[in-house]
Amino acid sequence: MLETLPAHLTRAALGFVLGALLGLVARRGRFCTLGAVEDAVYARDTRRARAWMLAAGLAILGTHLLEAYAGLDLARSIYAGPRLEWGALVVGGTMFGFGMALVGTCGFGALLRLGGGDLRALLVLLVLGLSAYMAVSGLTGLARVALAGPLSVELGAAGAQRLGALLGLDRGGTAALGIAVAAGLGFAALVGPGLRKSRRLLYGAVAIGCLIAAGWWTNGVAGHDEFEARAVGSFSFARPVGDTLLYAMLASGMKVDFGVGSVLGVVLGAFAAARGGGEFHWEAPDDAREVKRHVLGAFLMGTGGVTALGCTIGQGLSGLSTLSVGSLLALASILVGARAGLYYLVDRHA
């Protein structure tokens, strides 16, 4: 049936299905980047951080196998462009991480919370989507462009940001590098009994890593149209949240695509997990102070996510799966921003 659909509808349909699976397993598996940081810093519990590493390793493995054997062209992704905009990645990533700490989760986590009935998450997503589009083509977009221009490095041809290209490896060498990095992350995640005994975290991480690779397959293989001038990608939840809001208002003048389908799918999957686990209940903000913190955090995440070309999922898993230097820089900046935000909220009052 999918073969008879236009490419953008194929991507949207598969994005919805894969997004629903992602929302289901992530909510059931308690997958959360900020939660992993909090557990490691304050509880000295690295199980969720190890689960994140395992998901990243499997995403890297699957993505590189798709490139080697299924015709996926990662040079056409936004993470592998010829210009490394390091200033925007650092500033945007730090903004996103700090905003994530203020909200208590990232954009993906807000979708999971919305599926569980959290109305604070709805507020966060509305502000995040609006601020994301402001950073794309609105007032804050002017500052983003001004920042990206001078603080960047030209690396050469498309795909030059990837570690394999920087090391001068051919296609086979790049695939071998991806397999080696994936194996290293998998070993680091599974050494010791912590994660292996936490079956929910373990299975969730395995599923999420495979779904990131499936997102690449959807956009770069199954839903690829050689006549479309578009970048390939996988899951991300900064700009796609804005795309979803825009599509809700302008559906007759827009084409639905993978991003919108995946956003809606994640909410549905999270709802199914919450209802199935008896966790669904309506929640609202406690007071004006909480609303202010959530609005500010959401604005920082929307602006920072677009500036850094992705969020904890978009850069942290999808981008990292290409072994892009820019994604590594963005992820490190997100983690630094998250730690700074946690210090602002927790440590300075201790």
Side-chain angles (χ1 to χ4, degrees), residues 87-322:
L89 295 173
V90 170
V91 173
T94 304
M95 288 175 63
F96 186 94
F98 196 91
M100 177 172 66
L102 292 180
V103 170
T105 190
C106 62
F108 176 61
L111 293 170
L112 299 180
R113 289 184 177 183
L114 179 61
D118 192 336
L119 296 178
R120 292 168 297 191
L122 178 60
L123 173 64
V124 167
L125 291 167
L126 289 172
V127 176
L128 189 156
L130 176 62
S131 59
Y133 255 86
M134 287 175 62
V136 171
S137 56
L139 292 176
T140 51
L142 300 175
R144 176 183 60 82
V145 172
L147 174 69
L151 302 181
S152 62
V153 177
E154 293 291 341
L155 297 177
Q161 284 190 46
R162 301 179 63 201
L163 285 178
L166 292 174
L167 294 174
L169 301 178
D170 58 13
R171 181 179 292 269
T174 299
L177 176 64
I179 294 171
V181 172
L185 286 171
F187 177 79
L190 295 173
V191 66
L195 179 59
R196 297 200 305 271
K197 289 184 176 180
S198 303
R199 296 299 178 87
R200 179 177 290 191
L201 287 174
L202 177 63
Y203 296 154
V206 170
I208 288 169
C210 293
L211 286 167
I212 295 297
W216 283 109
W217 172 80
T218 297
N219 284 285
V221 181
H224 173 62
D225 185 345
E226 62 183 8
F227 297 106
E228 287 184 318
R230 60 183 296 274
V232 297
S234 185
F235 289 100
S236 188
F237 298 99
R239 177 171 178 169
V241 172
D243 289 336
T244 304
L245 296 178
L246 197 62
Y247 183 76
M249 295 182 289
L250 304 172
S252 61
M254 288 182 61
K255 288 184 176 180
V256 66
D257 214 312
F258 180 84
V260 175
S262 64
V263 167
L264 298 177
V266 167
V267 176
L268 178 64
F271 172 75
R275 291 287 292 184
E279 300 173 347
F280 183 89
H281 56 276
W282 296 109
E283 295 183 68
D286 294 330
D287 52 32
R289 178 178 296 180
E290 187 176 30
V291 171
K292 180 176 68 174
R293 179 164 53 83
H294 278 69
V295 168
L296 176 59
F299 176 80
L300 291 174
M301 283 199 295
T303 307
V306 169
T307 303
L309 300 181
C311 56
T312 52
I313 301 296
Q315 282 283 24
L317 288 178
S318 297
L320 187 63
S321 68
T322 69

Side-chain angles (χ1 to χ4, degrees), residues 59-69 162 174-175 178 321-323:
I60 291 170
L61 176 62
T63 302
H64 280 75
L65 290 177
L66 285 172
E67 182 181 36
Y69 299 108
R162 301 179 63 201
T174 299
S321 68
T322 69
L323 291 184

Side-chain angles (χ1 to χ4, degrees), residues 40-66:
V41 171
Y42 296 111
R44 299 295 187 267
D45 181 354
T46 61
R47 287 177 298 171
R48 284 210 276 183
R50 289 170 182 264
W52 199 98
M53 292 170 60
L54 179 59
L58 289 170
I60 291 170
L61 176 62
T63 302
H64 280 75
L65 290 177
L66 285 172

